[in-house]
Amino acid sequence: AIEIISSGAVAGNADKHLPSLVQQGSSLAMLRSGMPNDEMAQNRVAQYLSTKGRELNSRVLSALAVRVSSDPFVKVKKMIKDLIVRLMEEANEETEHKGWCDTELS
């Protein structure tokens, strides 16, 4: 494998082939990093739908505006925070129990 990679047929082709393998700003991490802009866009969409709902007297658009304005991840965020708290409490309990075991065994 080293001989193949070192050979002249392969050397220098990284510049040609590797750039096409790099993701160009479409990863989820990049999408999540711009949360304030996402929230602003979400609020603008909700405002637009609400305005159009009132103009057209459409209950469907008004209901959609309410759904768009609410954060869909509120429950998920709360569940993650609760899980972290519970795991921290368990870690503290295990540390205390280990300390007790160490003192009893010594």
Side-chain angles (χ1 to χ4, degrees):
I2 294 174
E3 290 177 29
I4 294 171
I5 292 174
S6 302
S7 72
V10 177
N13 287 328
D15 295 332
K16 177 182 174 186
H17 297 289
L18 289 180
S20 65
L21 298 175
V22 177
Q23 288 184 341
Q24 299 295 325
S26 62
S27 70
L28 183 60
M30 290 188 72
L31 291 174
R32 285 284 158 215
S33 67
M35 282 303 289
N37 291 335
D38 290 345
E39 290 174 5
M40 287 176 32
Q42 184 177 4
N43 289 336
R44 284 195 337 237
V45 168
Q47 183 65 35
Y48 177 79
L49 289 172
S50 179
T51 302
K52 290 299 178 182
R54 273 184 264 123
E55 286 176 8
L56 300 172
N57 200 19
S58 171
R59 286 183 275 173
V60 174
L61 284 178
S62 297
L64 183 61
V66 171
R67 295 279 312 259
V68 167
S69 65
S70 67
D71 186 5
F73 294 106
V74 169
K75 290 181 182 179
V76 174
K77 290 176 187 176
K78 183 182 180 322
M79 288 173 54
I80 291 172
K81 286 179 184 177
D82 292 345
L83 178 64
I84 291 171
V85 168
R86 192 171 75 216
L87 289 173
M88 295 287 283
E89 290 171 353
E90 284 182 21
N92 288 336
E93 290 173 6
E94 288 177 7
T95 303
E96 291 174 8
H97 184 69
K98 183 186 180 312
W100 178 82
C101 288
D102 290 343
T103 57
E104 290 296 316
L105 290 174
S106 59

